[in-house]
């Protein structure tokens, strides 16, 4: 089971942003820490630019099993009044 309680504040904030759909503009050292903890994953999305150049764009997401654990953890925190 993932441990969300012990995340440093910055990592917790970025994890929450990614879990709710905002995967852009975060400090890369924080992203790397979350990747190492396997709380997020990186997807390379091949994109064709208008100029015809192909680039890979990195997108970050929370794996479904981790996202479900996080939702359960959030519900427990809410029900405990924390």
């Amino acid at each position: 089971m993932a441990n969300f309680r012990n995340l440093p504040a910055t990592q917790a904030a970025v994890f929450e942003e990614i879990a709710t759909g905002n995967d852009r503009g975060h400090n890369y050292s924080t992203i790397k820490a979350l990747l190492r903890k396997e709380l997020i994953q990186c997807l390379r999305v091949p994109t064709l630019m208008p100029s015809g150049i192909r680039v890979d764009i990195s997108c970050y997401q929370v794996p479904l099993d981790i996202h479900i654990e996080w939702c359960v953890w959030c519900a427990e925190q809410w029900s405990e009044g924390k």
Side-chain angles (χ1 to χ4, degrees):
M1 181 168 205
N3 188 353
F4 306 105
R5 179 164 293 159
N6 295 328
L7 283 178
T10 303
Q11 290 178 21
V14 170
F15 174 83
E16 183 176 331
E17 287 285 321
I18 293 171
T20 57
N22 177 13
D23 72 334
R24 300 282 188 248
H26 303 296
N27 183 292
Y28 190 65
S29 63
T30 305
I31 293 290
K32 285 193 313 187
L34 293 170
L35 286 167
R36 275 192 310 273
K37 293 176 182 180
E38 298 181 349
L39 293 175
I40 63 172
Q41 60 189 16
C42 178
L43 301 174
R44 300 292 220 158
V45 179
T47 304
L48 187 62
M49 302 301 287
S51 63
I53 297 173
R54 182 186 171 271
V55 296
D56 287 340
I57 298 176
S58 295
C59 297
Y60 301 97
Q61 69 178 27
V62 177
L64 185 57
D65 59 329
I66 301 295
H67 198 284
I68 291 169
E69 287 182 38
W70 177 66
C71 291
V72 169
W73 180 79
C74 288
E76 289 169 353
Q77 300 306 299
W78 183 79
S79 68
E80 293 174 6
K82 294 183 179 181

